Amino acid sequence: SSSTGGSERDAIMAGRNNWGNDSATWDERNWDAVQKQEQQKQDVLVMASQNSETIRRMVRQTDQTRNVAGETLTVLDQQSEQLKRMHGEIDKVEENLNFADRTIRGMESVWGSFRNYVSKGTAAVKGRPQSAASTAEGNRLDRAAQGRPSASRDAPAGATSGGVGRSQKPTREYSEDWQGKLQKMEDNQEEDLDDLSKMVGQLKDMGRDMGHSLDAQTKSIDRMSDRSDAVDSRLAKSNLRIKRML
């Protein structure tokens, strides 16, 4: 009987030991699952942070491009002003040629002097078409600049990813756990993407305005070339008339 009792005790102790081993194995597996889940959460946060930085970098680069486009529009405006001044200089040359024509005509014959005397009161009128041409060129160039959308004319410079026309929104409270951090990053990404969309729209408008300004300037240069050719032709004829008198 004593041997039988000893065997039962050994069986019970063996069972207890086996139960303890199974419990340890279960706890270890459960801890591994928890660690794996936490690592997955951290991986999600890291990826979201990388996406946020990528979007902010795109916003900064787009903003720099917009600033360059604004500077280009400023240079185009300066070129338009220079073209208007050049047309004004051609006006002065044409007025001088008108005076030279009257002088040469008076020197060529008595009849020419009589014509100058008769047309003396209308000499100023003859100079007006050239001034009108210069004024028309200035109006065309001004219309090309004034027709721009306000986003192209007054695009803010030096904007960052935190305030490109961003409307004020009520401050949102976020929890301190990983879900709150993830939600905060997602909300910031959405705002940055809104800023990026606005700047891309402004760049589109600015590109279209550059095209309009360049087109107006090209046509103005063509008309200036025609006027210069006409001035050269008149000057050559005046020189020939003077040579004939000599």
Side-chain angles (χ1 to χ4, degrees), residues 17 29 31 47 52 55 64 95 102 106 130 134-135 138 147 152 155 185 189 197 213 216 219 237 242:
N17 292 334
R29 291 176 180 175
W31 177 248
M47 185 176 297
S52 296
I55 294 173
Q64 292 174 358
E95 290 175 2
R102 288 174 57 82
Q130 287 77 20
S134 179
T135 302
S152 294
M185 283 190 284
Q189 288 177 14
S197 177
S213 295
K219 293 179 180 179
K237 291 179 180 178
I242 292 175

Side-chain angles (χ1 to χ4, degrees), residues 175-235:
S175 60
E176 294 297 330
D177 59 1
W178 77 277
Q179 290 180 334
K181 295 178 181 179
L182 180 62
Q183 186 62 49
K184 183 177 181 179
M185 283 190 284
E186 289 178 348
D187 290 345
N188 289 335
Q189 288 177 14
E190 184 176 355
E191 292 180 354
D192 288 339
L193 288 173
D194 288 340
D195 292 341
L196 184 62
S197 177
K198 291 177 183 178
M199 286 192 291
V200 169
Q202 290 177 348
L203 283 174
K204 181 180 178 181
D205 292 336
M206 296 170 83
R208 182 170 58 250
D209 294 337
M210 289 180 195
H212 291 166
S213 295
L214 288 172
D215 183 62
Q217 290 180 8
T218 299
K219 293 179 180 179
S220 179
I221 292 174
D222 290 339
R223 285 186 286 268
M224 183 187 302
S225 178
D226 294 338
R227 295 184 67 189
S228 298
D229 291 341
V231 166
D232 290 340
S233 178
R234 290 184 60 185
L235 184 60

Side-chain angles (χ1 to χ4, degrees), residues 31-241:
W31 177 248
D32 290 341
V34 170
Q35 285 185 321
K36 184 177 181 180
Q37 187 178 17
E38 290 298 323
Q39 183 62 42
Q40 290 175 345
K41 293 178 182 179
Q42 292 299 321
D43 292 341
V44 170
L45 290 176
V46 170
M47 185 176 297
S49 177
Q50 292 174 348
N51 291 339
S52 296
E53 180 58 31
T54 300
I55 294 173
R56 284 194 293 269
R57 183 167 59 251
M58 292 173 61
V59 171
R60 290 193 295 268
Q61 292 174 348
T62 305
D63 182 60
Q64 292 174 358
T65 303
R66 186 183 59 171
N67 292 336
V68 172
E71 294 173 357
T72 302
L73 286 172
T74 300
V75 173
L76 289 174
D77 289 340
Q78 294 173 351
Q79 291 180 178
S80 295
E81 292 298 324
Q82 186 176 3
L83 285 173
K84 287 191 286 186
R85 289 193 296 269
M86 293 174 68
H87 277 283
E89 293 298 324
I90 294 179
D91 285 344
K92 294 178 182 179
V93 174
E94 289 177 337
E95 290 175 2
N96 291 334
L97 283 176
N98 290 338
F99 179 79
D101 286 341
R102 288 174 57 82
T103 302
I104 294 172
R105 185 169 59 197
M107 295 171 60
E108 285 177 332
S109 64
V110 177
W111 173 246
S113 299
F114 178 75
R115 287 182 58 190
N116 287 342
Y117 177 79
V118 173
S119 61
K120 185 176 182 180
T122 61
V125 178
K126 291 183 179 180
R128 288 177 187 172
Q130 287 77 20
S131 298
S134 179
T135 302
E137 289 298 331
N139 291 336
R140 294 189 188 99
L141 294 171
D142 289 339
R143 282 196 298 270
Q146 293 172 357
R148 299 174 188 166
S150 59
S152 294
R153 292 197 305 268
D154 305 320
T160 61
S161 60
V164 186
R166 180 176 294 179
S167 60
Q168 295 294 330
K169 296 182 181 180
T171 304
R172 179 176 177 179
E173 297 294 335
Y174 299 94
S175 60
E176 294 297 330
D177 59 1
W178 77 277
Q179 290 180 334
K181 295 178 181 179
L182 180 62
Q183 186 62 49
K184 183 177 181 179
M185 283 190 284
E186 289 178 348
D187 290 345
N188 289 335
Q189 288 177 14
E190 184 176 355
E191 292 180 354
D192 288 339
L193 288 173
D194 288 340
D195 292 341
L196 184 62
S197 177
K198 291 177 183 178
M199 286 192 291
V200 169
Q202 290 177 348
L203 283 174
K204 181 180 178 181
D205 292 336
M206 296 170 83
R208 182 170 58 250
D209 294 337
M210 289 180 195
H212 291 166
S213 295
L214 288 172
D215 183 62
Q217 290 180 8
T218 299
K219 293 179 180 179
S220 179
I221 292 174
D222 290 339
R223 285 186 286 268
M224 183 187 302
S225 178
D226 294 338
R227 295 184 67 189
S228 298
D229 291 341
V231 166
D232 290 340
S233 178
R234 290 184 60 185
L235 184 60
K237 291 179 180 178
S238 297
N239 289 333
L240 181 60
R241 291 167 64 186

